[in-house]
Amino acid sequence: MPRTTAVRLGSLLTAALLTATGAGTLAGPAHAVSPVSAPERAVVMVPSAPAVGGAIRAKWLSLGGSGGFLGHPTSHERRLRDGGASQSFQGGQIHWSPGNGAHVTKGGIRKTWAVLGWENGFLGYPTSDERRLRSGGASQSFQGGQIHWSAASGAHATRGAIQRKWASAGWENGSLRYPTSHERRLRDGGASQSFQGGQIHWSPGNGAHITRGAIQRTWAASGWQDGRYGYPVGDEYRTPTGAAQRFEGGTITWTDPTKRVHSGYGDDVISITKPDGPGSMAVVEATHDGSSNFIVWGQDAGYADTDLLVNDIGTYSGSMLLDEDDWGAPTVRLRITADGAWTISVRSVNSLPSYGADRTVSGRGSSVFRYSGRSTTRQINHTGNSNFIVWSYPNNGYADLLVNDIGTYSGRVAYPGPAVIEVEADGSWSIRP
């Protein structure tokens, strides 16, 4: 930077006047213009910090200002489309838009939003701040969808029909867990997206449906939606021998190798074999297509009734534990009372679906599943008219009665783990973190 020197103003004016008027020299000897007595000083220009104003300033201050996680501003406010604005800080950015307010974006979610075009992409402006999720992940809402992030899956956007299907399956707490890809465009205007627990495919006229496991692998081997089966037209459903799913070009079925399946019509007594041995606990899955009583009793080797497994009227579908306690003689037969067609399958407890501490489990009617997490608490809800009973069978061998009620129920209860969980219900139920 150039140095500047102040001079006596009077001397400069005198010299200027003499020169301008053409006057002769002053009487006496000539003198040089002398500097002021103060020493010369260097002038240092210090740039000012970017100003933070308006709604962005209010948001920044609400989060601690320069002492919060955003830190100091690193840019001036920028004008954006539709009258919006943004400003960068050491720890992220704040975007403001009319009708949506000011919201912070940061980290992996902000990077994905940037890749997708910031506010000019399909997501548009943020409509919420980042939310922390139970499983250690995070999410943020935008005008055109959401971005979900987890350490294992990264950050990915969801939107439209695929997002609604994922929401109906429990978001990240359901069986699909977190997204692992962005939405992909497919033939005939279709789309798909991958998740940790499967995929969702959408197509015009068929809607959005989940595929996973062995059925998905068979579909993939046939060429996905471009092969003989085309797009899925329904979700996976249970069958007496396993599961099945319908596609445009046919149905893919899967048979559970651990199941022992029996079928019949009307009253009967059948011998059963438990997959893990005579003294083990097992799962009985039953269906009935009739209008009157459907009753299933467990019997010991002497034909004595030992355990009432099902006592219902009309159509029935459900599962229940067999020989869940270790007293009494093992069950070797089932006595069936029915007025219609029925199926009975016996499967290993080890083949049951398993859910961790961050997962929501829901269903309708009686069901059995495994909980693989540690002891905690759970919110349990039921909408029905009859008995609602929830049993837990932890690995320590002691049974815990978690809920014993009639009709609608809602409450938070202690939830031991790991354990096998048995639900007896006549309506819809859910067990949530």
Coordinates of all heavy atoms in Angstrom, one line a residue, residues 283-367:
V283 N -43.6 -72.4 15.8 CA -44.6 -71.4 15.4 C -45.7 -72.1 14.6 O -45.3 -72.9 13.6 CB -44.0 -70.3 14.6 CG1 -45.1 -69.3 14.2 CG2 -43.0 -69.5 15.4
V284 N -46.9 -72.0 14.9 CA -48.0 -72.5 14.1 C -48.7 -71.4 13.4 O -49.1 -70.3 14.0 CB -49.1 -73.2 15.0 CG1 -50.3 -73.6 14.2 CG2 -48.5 -74.4 15.7
E285 N -48.8 -71.5 12.0 CA -49.6 -70.5 11.2 C -50.8 -71.2 10.7 O -50.7 -72.3 10.1 CB -48.7 -70.0 10.1 CG -47.4 -69.3 10.6 CD -46.6 -68.8 9.4 OE1 -46.7 -69.4 8.3 OE2 -45.8 -67.9 9.6
A286 N -52.0 -70.5 10.9 CA -53.2 -71.2 10.5 C -54.1 -70.2 9.7 O -54.1 -69.0 9.9 CB -54.0 -71.6 11.8
T287 N -54.8 -70.8 8.7 CA -55.8 -70.0 8.0 C -57.1 -70.9 8.0 O -57.1 -72.1 8.1 CB -55.4 -69.8 6.5 OG1 -55.3 -71.0 5.8 CG2 -54.0 -69.1 6.5
H288 N -58.3 -70.2 7.9 CA -59.6 -70.8 7.8 C -60.5 -70.0 6.9 O -60.6 -68.8 7.0 CB -60.2 -70.9 9.2 CG -61.6 -71.5 9.2 ND1 -62.7 -70.9 9.7 CD2 -62.0 -72.7 8.8 CE1 -63.7 -71.6 9.6 NE2 -63.4 -72.8 9.0
D289 N -61.2 -70.7 6.0 CA -62.1 -70.1 5.1 C -63.5 -70.7 5.4 O -63.9 -71.7 4.8 CB -61.7 -70.3 3.7 CG -62.7 -69.5 2.7 OD1 -63.5 -68.7 3.2 OD2 -62.6 -69.8 1.5
G290 N -64.2 -70.1 6.4 CA -65.5 -70.7 6.8 C -66.3 -69.6 7.5 O -65.9 -68.4 7.6
S291 N -67.5 -70.0 8.0 CA -68.4 -69.0 8.6 C -68.7 -69.3 10.1 O -69.3 -68.5 10.8 CB -69.7 -68.9 7.8 OG -70.3 -70.2 7.8
S292 N -68.2 -70.4 10.6 CA -68.5 -70.8 11.9 C -67.2 -71.0 12.7 O -66.2 -70.4 12.4 CB -69.3 -72.1 11.9 OG -69.8 -72.4 13.2
N293 N -67.3 -71.8 13.8 CA -66.2 -71.9 14.7 C -64.9 -72.4 14.0 O -65.0 -73.3 13.2 CB -66.5 -72.9 15.9 CG -67.5 -72.3 16.8 OD1 -67.7 -71.1 16.9 ND2 -68.2 -73.1 17.6
F294 N -63.8 -71.8 14.4 CA -62.5 -72.4 14.0 C -61.7 -72.5 15.3 O -61.3 -71.4 15.8 CB -61.8 -71.5 12.9 CG -60.5 -72.0 12.5 CD1 -60.3 -73.3 12.0 CD2 -59.3 -71.2 12.7 CE1 -59.1 -73.8 11.6 CE2 -58.1 -71.7 12.3 CZ -57.9 -73.0 11.7
I295 N -61.4 -73.7 15.7 CA -60.7 -73.9 17.0 C -59.6 -74.9 16.7 O -59.8 -75.9 16.0 CB -61.7 -74.5 18.0 CG1 -62.9 -73.6 18.2 CG2 -61.0 -74.8 19.3 CD1 -64.0 -74.2 19.1
V296 N -58.4 -74.6 17.3 CA -57.3 -75.5 17.2 C -56.7 -75.7 18.6 O -56.3 -74.8 19.3 CB -56.2 -74.9 16.3 CG1 -55.0 -75.8 16.2 CG2 -56.7 -74.6 14.9
W297 N -56.7 -77.0 19.0 CA -56.1 -77.4 20.2 C -54.8 -78.2 20.0 O -54.7 -79.0 19.1 CB -57.0 -78.3 21.0 CG -58.1 -77.7 21.8 CD1 -59.4 -77.4 21.4 CD2 -57.9 -77.2 23.2 NE1 -60.0 -76.8 22.5 CE2 -59.2 -76.6 23.5 CE3 -56.9 -77.2 24.1 CZ2 -59.4 -76.1 24.8 CZ3 -57.1 -76.6 25.3 CH2 -58.4 -76.1 25.7
G298 N -53.8 -77.9 20.8 CA -52.6 -78.8 20.8 C -52.9 -80.0 21.7 O -53.6 -79.9 22.7
Q299 N -52.3 -81.2 21.3 CA -52.5 -82.4 22.0 C -51.2 -83.1 22.3 O -50.3 -83.0 21.5 CB -53.4 -83.4 21.3 CG -54.9 -82.9 21.2 CD -55.8 -84.0 20.6 OE1 -55.4 -84.8 19.8 NE2 -57.0 -84.0 21.1
D300 N -51.1 -83.8 23.4 CA -49.9 -84.6 23.7 C -50.0 -86.0 23.1 O -51.0 -86.3 22.4 CB -49.6 -84.6 25.2 CG -50.7 -85.2 26.0 OD1 -51.6 -86.0 25.4 OD2 -50.8 -85.0 27.3
A301 N -49.1 -86.8 23.5 CA -49.1 -88.2 22.9 C -50.3 -89.0 23.3 O -50.7 -89.9 22.6 CB -47.8 -88.9 23.3
G302 N -50.9 -88.6 24.4 CA -52.1 -89.4 24.9 C -53.4 -88.8 24.4 O -54.4 -89.1 25.0
Y303 N -53.4 -87.9 23.4 CA -54.5 -87.3 22.9 C -55.2 -86.3 23.9 O -56.4 -86.0 23.7 CB -55.6 -88.3 22.3 CG -55.1 -89.0 21.1 CD1 -54.3 -90.2 21.3 CD2 -55.3 -88.6 19.8 CE1 -53.9 -90.9 20.2 CE2 -54.8 -89.2 18.7 CZ -54.1 -90.4 18.9 OH -53.7 -91.1 17.8
A304 N -54.5 -85.9 24.9 CA -55.1 -84.9 25.8 C -54.9 -83.5 25.3 O -53.8 -83.2 24.8 CB -54.4 -85.1 27.2
D305 N -55.9 -82.7 25.3 CA -55.8 -81.3 24.9 C -54.9 -80.5 25.9 O -55.1 -80.6 27.1 CB -57.2 -80.6 24.9 CG -58.0 -81.1 23.8 OD1 -57.5 -81.7 22.8 OD2 -59.3 -80.9 23.8
T306 N -53.9 -79.9 25.4 CA -52.9 -79.2 26.3 C -52.8 -77.7 26.1 O -52.5 -77.0 27.0 CB -51.5 -79.8 26.1 OG1 -51.1 -79.6 24.7 CG2 -51.5 -81.3 26.4
D307 N -53.2 -77.2 24.9 CA -53.0 -75.7 24.6 C -54.0 -75.3 23.6 O -54.0 -75.8 22.5 CB -51.5 -75.5 24.1 CG -51.2 -74.0 24.1 OD1 -52.0 -73.2 24.5 OD2 -50.1 -73.7 23.6
L308 N -54.8 -74.3 24.0 CA -55.8 -73.7 23.0 C -55.0 -72.7 22.2 O -54.7 -71.6 22.6 CB -56.9 -73.1 23.8 CG -58.0 -72.4 22.9 CD1 -58.7 -73.5 21.9 CD2 -59.1 -71.8 23.8
L309 N -54.8 -73.0 20.9 CA -54.0 -72.1 20.0 C -54.9 -71.1 19.3 O -54.5 -69.9 19.1 CB -53.3 -73.0 19.0 CG -52.3 -74.0 19.6 CD1 -51.7 -74.8 18.5 CD2 -51.2 -73.3 20.4
V310 N -56.1 -71.5 18.8 CA -57.0 -70.6 18.1 C -58.4 -70.9 18.6 O -58.8 -72.0 18.7 CB -56.9 -70.9 16.6 CG1 -57.9 -69.9 15.8 CG2 -55.5 -70.8 16.0
N311 N -59.2 -69.8 18.8 CA -60.6 -69.9 19.1 C -61.3 -68.7 18.5 O -61.4 -67.6 19.1 CB -60.8 -69.9 20.6 CG -62.2 -70.1 21.0 OD1 -63.0 -70.5 20.2 ND2 -62.5 -69.9 22.3
D312 N -61.8 -68.9 17.3 CA -62.3 -67.8 16.5 C -63.5 -68.2 15.7 O -63.9 -69.4 15.7 CB -61.2 -67.3 15.5 CG -61.3 -65.8 15.3 OD1 -62.5 -65.3 15.0 OD2 -60.3 -65.1 15.3
I313 N -64.2 -67.3 15.1 CA -65.4 -67.6 14.3 C -65.2 -67.0 12.9 O -64.8 -65.8 12.8 CB -66.6 -67.0 14.9 CG1 -66.9 -67.7 16.3 CG2 -67.8 -67.2 14.0 CD1 -68.1 -67.1 17.0
G314 N -65.4 -67.8 11.9 CA -65.4 -67.3 10.5 C -64.0 -67.3 9.9 O -63.1 -68.2 10.3
T315 N -63.7 -66.4 9.0 CA -62.4 -66.4 8.3 C -61.3 -66.0 9.3 O -61.5 -65.1 10.2 CB -62.4 -65.4 7.2 OG1 -63.5 -65.7 6.3 CG2 -61.1 -65.3 6.4
Y316 N -60.2 -66.7 9.2 CA -59.1 -66.5 10.1 C -57.7 -66.6 9.4 O -57.6 -67.4 8.5 CB -59.1 -67.5 11.3 CG -58.0 -67.4 12.2 CD1 -58.0 -66.5 13.3 CD2 -56.8 -68.2 12.1 CE1 -57.0 -66.4 14.2 CE2 -55.8 -68.0 13.0 CZ -55.9 -67.1 14.0 OH -54.8 -67.0 14.9
S317 N -56.8 -65.8 9.9 CA -55.4 -65.9 9.4 C -54.5 -65.4 10.5 O -54.7 -64.2 10.9 CB -55.1 -65.2 8.1 OG -53.8 -65.3 7.7
G318 N -53.6 -66.2 11.0 CA -52.7 -65.7 12.1 C -51.7 -66.8 12.5 O -51.7 -67.9 12.0
S319 N -50.8 -66.4 13.4 CA -49.7 -67.3 13.8 C -49.6 -67.2 15.3 O -49.9 -66.1 16.0 CB -48.4 -66.9 13.2 OG -48.0 -65.6 13.4
M320 N -49.1 -68.2 16.0 CA -49.0 -68.3 17.4 C -47.9 -69.3 17.8 O -47.5 -70.1 17.0 CB -50.3 -68.7 18.1 CG -50.8 -70.1 17.8 SD -51.3 -70.5 16.1 CE -52.6 -69.3 15.8
L321 N -47.4 -69.1 19.0 CA -46.3 -70.0 19.5 C -46.9 -71.3 20.0 O -48.0 -71.4 20.5 CB -45.6 -69.3 20.6 CG -44.6 -68.2 20.2 CD1 -44.0 -67.5 21.5 CD2 -43.5 -68.7 19.4
L322 N -46.1 -72.4 19.8 CA -46.5 -73.7 20.3 C -45.4 -74.2 21.2 O -44.2 -74.1 20.9 CB -46.6 -74.6 19.1 CG -46.9 -76.1 19.4 CD1 -48.3 -76.2 19.9 CD2 -46.7 -77.0 18.1
D323 N -45.8 -74.7 22.4 CA -44.9 -75.2 23.4 C -43.9 -74.1 23.8 O -42.7 -74.3 23.9 CB -44.1 -76.4 23.0 CG -45.0 -77.6 22.8 OD1 -46.2 -77.6 23.4 OD2 -44.6 -78.6 22.2
E324 N -44.4 -72.9 24.1 CA -43.5 -71.8 24.4 C -43.0 -71.9 25.9 O -42.0 -71.2 26.2 CB -44.3 -70.4 24.3 CG -45.5 -70.3 25.2 CD -46.8 -70.8 24.5 OE1 -46.7 -71.7 23.7 OE2 -47.8 -70.4 24.9
D325 N -43.6 -72.7 26.7 CA -43.0 -73.0 28.0 C -42.4 -74.4 28.0 O -42.7 -75.2 27.1 CB -44.0 -72.8 29.1 CG -45.3 -73.6 28.8 OD1 -45.2 -74.8 28.6 OD2 -46.4 -72.9 28.8
D326 N -41.6 -74.7 29.0 CA -40.9 -76.0 29.0 C -41.5 -77.0 30.0 O -40.9 -77.9 30.4 CB -39.4 -75.8 29.4 CG -39.2 -75.0 30.7 OD1 -40.2 -74.7 31.3 OD2 -38.0 -74.7 31.0
W327 N -42.8 -76.7 30.5 CA -43.4 -77.7 31.4 C -44.5 -78.4 30.6 O -45.1 -77.9 29.6 CB -44.0 -77.0 32.7 CG -45.0 -75.9 32.4 CD1 -46.4 -76.1 32.1 CD2 -44.8 -74.5 32.4 NE1 -47.0 -75.0 32.0 CE2 -46.1 -74.0 32.2 CE3 -43.7 -73.7 32.6 CZ2 -46.3 -72.6 32.1 CZ3 -43.9 -72.4 32.6 CH2 -45.2 -71.8 32.3
G328 N -44.9 -79.6 31.0 CA -45.9 -80.4 30.3 C -45.3 -81.2 29.2 O -44.1 -80.9 28.8
A329 N -46.1 -82.1 28.7 CA -45.6 -82.9 27.6 C -45.6 -82.2 26.3 O -46.4 -81.3 26.1 CB -46.6 -84.1 27.5
P330 N -44.7 -82.5 25.4 CA -44.6 -81.8 24.1 C -45.9 -82.0 23.3 O -46.5 -83.1 23.4 CB -43.4 -82.4 23.5 CG -42.6 -83.1 24.5 CD -43.6 -83.5 25.6
T331 N -46.2 -81.1 22.5 CA -47.3 -81.2 21.6 C -46.9 -82.0 20.3 O -45.9 -81.7 19.7 CB -47.8 -79.8 21.1 OG1 -48.2 -79.1 22.2 CG2 -49.0 -79.9 20.1
V332 N -47.7 -83.0 20.0 CA -47.4 -83.9 18.9 C -48.6 -83.9 17.9 O -48.4 -84.5 16.8 CB -47.1 -85.3 19.3 CG1 -45.8 -85.3 20.2 CG2 -48.2 -86.0 20.0
R333 N -49.7 -83.4 18.3 CA -50.9 -83.4 17.4 C -51.6 -82.1 17.5 O -51.5 -81.4 18.5 CB -51.9 -84.5 17.7 CG -51.3 -85.9 17.5 CD -52.4 -87.0 17.8 NE -51.8 -88.3 17.7 CZ -51.2 -88.9 18.7 NH1 -51.1 -88.3 19.9 NH2 -50.6 -90.1 18.6
L334 N -52.5 -81.8 16.5 CA -53.4 -80.7 16.6 C -54.8 -81.1 16.3 O -55.0 -81.9 15.3 CB -53.0 -79.6 15.6 CG -51.6 -78.9 15.7 CD1 -51.4 -77.9 14.6 CD2 -51.4 -78.3 17.1
R335 N -55.7 -80.7 17.2 CA -57.1 -81.1 17.0 C -57.9 -79.9 16.4 O -57.9 -78.8 17.0 CB -57.8 -81.6 18.3 CG -59.2 -82.0 18.1 CD -59.8 -82.6 19.4 NE -59.9 -81.7 20.5 CZ -60.9 -80.9 20.8 NH1 -61.9 -80.9 19.9 NH2 -60.9 -80.2 21.9
I336 N -58.5 -80.0 15.3 CA -59.0 -78.9 14.5 C -60.6 -79.0 14.4 O -61.1 -80.1 14.1 CB -58.5 -78.9 13.1 CG1 -56.9 -78.7 13.2 CG2 -59.1 -77.7 12.3 CD1 -56.2 -79.1 11.9
T337 N -61.3 -78.0 14.8 CA -62.7 -77.9 14.6 C -62.9 -76.8 13.6 O -62.5 -75.6 13.8 CB -63.4 -77.5 15.9 OG1 -63.1 -78.5 16.9 CG2 -64.9 -77.4 15.7
A338 N -63.6 -77.1 12.5 CA -63.8 -76.1 11.4 C -65.0 -76.4 10.6 O -65.4 -77.6 10.5 CB -62.5 -76.0 10.5
D339 N -65.6 -75.4 9.9 CA -66.7 -75.7 9.0 C -66.3 -75.4 7.5 O -67.1 -75.4 6.6 CB -67.9 -74.9 9.4 CG -67.8 -73.4 9.0 OD1 -66.6 -72.9 9.0 OD2 -68.8 -72.8 8.7
G340 N -65.0 -75.1 7.3 CA -64.5 -74.7 6.0 C -63.1 -75.3 5.7 O -62.6 -76.1 6.5
A341 N -62.5 -74.8 4.7 CA -61.1 -75.2 4.3 C -60.1 -74.5 5.2 O -60.3 -73.3 5.6 CB -60.8 -74.9 2.9
W342 N -59.1 -75.2 5.6 CA -58.1 -74.7 6.5 C -56.7 -75.1 6.1 O -56.5 -76.1 5.3 CB -58.3 -75.1 8.0 CG -58.5 -76.6 8.2 CD1 -59.7 -77.2 8.2 CD2 -57.5 -77.6 8.3 NE1 -59.5 -78.6 8.4 CE2 -58.2 -78.8 8.4 CE3 -56.1 -77.5 8.3 CZ2 -57.5 -80.0 8.6 CZ3 -55.4 -78.7 8.4 CH2 -56.1 -80.0 8.6
T343 N -55.7 -74.4 6.5 CA -54.3 -74.8 6.4 C -53.6 -74.6 7.7 O -53.9 -73.7 8.5 CB -53.5 -74.0 5.3 OG1 -53.5 -72.6 5.7 CG2 -54.2 -74.1 4.0
I344 N -52.7 -75.5 8.0 CA -51.8 -75.4 9.2 C -50.4 -75.6 8.8 O -50.1 -76.6 8.1 CB -52.2 -76.5 10.2 CG1 -53.6 -76.3 10.7 CG2 -51.2 -76.5 11.4 CD1 -53.8 -75.2 11.7
S345 N -49.5 -74.7 9.2 CA -48.1 -74.9 8.9 C -47.3 -74.8 10.2 O -47.7 -74.0 11.1 CB -47.5 -74.0 7.9 OG -47.7 -72.6 8.3
V346 N -46.3 -75.5 10.4 CA -45.4 -75.5 11.6 C -44.0 -75.1 11.1 O -43.4 -75.8 10.3 CB -45.4 -76.8 12.3 CG1 -44.6 -76.7 13.6 CG2 -46.8 -77.3 12.7
R347 N -43.5 -74.0 11.7 CA -42.2 -73.5 11.3 C -41.3 -73.3 12.5 O -41.7 -73.2 13.6 CB -42.3 -72.3 10.5 CG -42.8 -71.1 11.2 CD -43.1 -69.9 10.4 NE -41.9 -69.3 9.8 CZ -41.9 -68.2 9.1 NH1 -43.1 -67.5 8.9 NH2 -40.8 -67.7 8.7
S348 N -40.0 -73.2 12.2 CA -39.0 -72.9 13.3 C -39.1 -71.5 13.8 O -39.3 -70.6 13.0 CB -37.6 -73.2 12.8 OG -36.6 -72.8 13.7
V349 N -38.9 -71.3 15.0 CA -38.8 -69.9 15.6 C -37.6 -69.2 15.0 O -37.7 -68.0 14.7 CB -38.7 -70.0 17.1 CG1 -38.4 -68.6 17.7 CG2 -39.9 -70.5 17.7
N350 N -36.6 -69.9 14.6 CA -35.4 -69.3 14.0 C -35.6 -68.7 12.7 O -34.8 -67.9 12.2 CB -34.2 -70.3 14.0 CG -33.8 -70.7 15.4 OD1 -33.8 -69.9 16.3 ND2 -33.5 -72.0 15.5
S351 N -36.7 -69.1 12.0 CA -37.0 -68.6 10.7 C -37.9 -67.4 10.7 O -38.3 -66.8 9.7 CB -37.7 -69.7 9.8 OG -39.0 -69.9 10.3
L352 N -38.3 -66.9 11.9 CA -39.2 -65.8 12.0 C -38.5 -64.5 11.6 O -37.2 -64.4 11.8 CB -39.7 -65.6 13.5 CG -40.7 -66.6 14.0 CD1 -40.9 -66.4 15.5 CD2 -42.0 -66.5 13.3
P353 N -39.2 -63.5 11.1 CA -38.5 -62.2 10.8 C -38.0 -61.6 12.1 O -38.7 -61.7 13.2 CB -39.7 -61.4 10.2 CG -40.9 -62.0 10.6 CD -40.6 -63.5 10.8
S354 N -36.9 -60.9 12.0 CA -36.3 -60.3 13.2 C -36.2 -58.8 13.0 O -35.8 -58.3 12.0 CB -34.9 -60.9 13.4 OG -34.2 -60.3 14.6
Y355 N -36.5 -58.0 14.1 CA -36.5 -56.6 14.0 C -35.6 -56.0 15.2 O -35.7 -56.5 16.3 CB -37.9 -56.0 14.2 CG -38.9 -56.6 13.1 CD1 -39.7 -57.7 13.4 CD2 -38.9 -56.0 11.9 CE1 -40.6 -58.1 12.4 CE2 -39.8 -56.5 10.9 CZ -40.6 -57.6 11.2 OH -41.4 -58.0 10.2
G356 N -34.8 -55.0 14.8 CA -33.9 -54.4 15.8 C -34.6 -53.3 16.6 O -35.8 -53.0 16.4
A357 N -33.8 -52.6 17.4 CA -34.4 -51.6 18.3 C -34.9 -50.4 17.6 O -35.7 -49.6 18.2 CB -33.3 -51.2 19.3
D358 N -34.5 -50.1 16.4 CA -34.9 -48.9 15.7 C -36.1 -49.1 14.7 O -36.5 -48.3 14.0 CB -33.8 -48.3 14.9 CG -33.3 -49.3 13.8 OD1 -33.6 -50.5 13.9 OD2 -32.5 -48.9 12.9
R359 N -36.7 -50.3 14.8 CA -37.7 -50.7 13.8 C -39.1 -50.6 14.4 O -39.3 -51.0 15.6 CB -37.4 -52.1 13.3 CG -36.1 -52.2 12.6 CD -36.1 -51.7 11.2 NE -36.9 -52.5 10.4 CZ -36.6 -53.7 9.8 NH1 -35.4 -54.2 10.1 NH2 -37.4 -54.3 9.0
T360 N -40.1 -50.2 13.6 CA -41.5 -50.3 13.9 C -42.1 -51.6 13.3 O -41.8 -51.9 12.2 CB -42.3 -49.1 13.4 OG1 -41.8 -47.9 14.1 CG2 -43.8 -49.3 13.6
V361 N -42.9 -52.3 14.1 CA -43.5 -53.6 13.7 C -45.0 -53.3 13.8 O -45.5 -52.8 14.8 CB -43.1 -54.8 14.5 CG1 -43.6 -56.1 13.9 CG2 -41.6 -54.9 14.7
S362 N -45.7 -53.7 12.7 CA -47.2 -53.5 12.7 C -47.8 -54.7 12.0 O -47.2 -55.4 11.2 CB -47.5 -52.2 12.1 OG -47.1 -52.2 10.7
G363 N -49.1 -54.9 12.3 CA -49.8 -56.0 11.6 C -51.3 -55.9 12.0 O -51.8 -55.0 12.6
R364 N -52.0 -57.0 11.6 CA -53.4 -57.2 11.9 C -53.6 -58.6 12.3 O -53.2 -59.5 11.6 CB -54.3 -56.8 10.7 CG -55.7 -56.9 11.0 CD -56.6 -56.4 9.9 NE -58.0 -56.5 10.2 CZ -58.7 -55.6 10.9 NH1 -58.1 -54.5 11.2 NH2 -60.0 -55.7 11.1
G365 N -54.3 -58.8 13.4 CA -54.5 -60.1 13.9 C -53.3 -60.7 14.7 O -52.3 -59.9 15.0
S366 N -53.3 -62.0 15.0 CA -52.2 -62.6 15.8 C -51.0 -62.8 15.0 O -51.0 -63.2 13.8 CB -52.7 -63.9 16.3 OG -53.9 -63.7 17.2
S367 N -49.8 -62.6 15.6 CA -48.6 -62.7 14.9 C -47.4 -63.0 15.9 O -47.6 -62.8 17.1 CB -48.3 -61.4 14.2 OG -47.1 -61.5 13.4

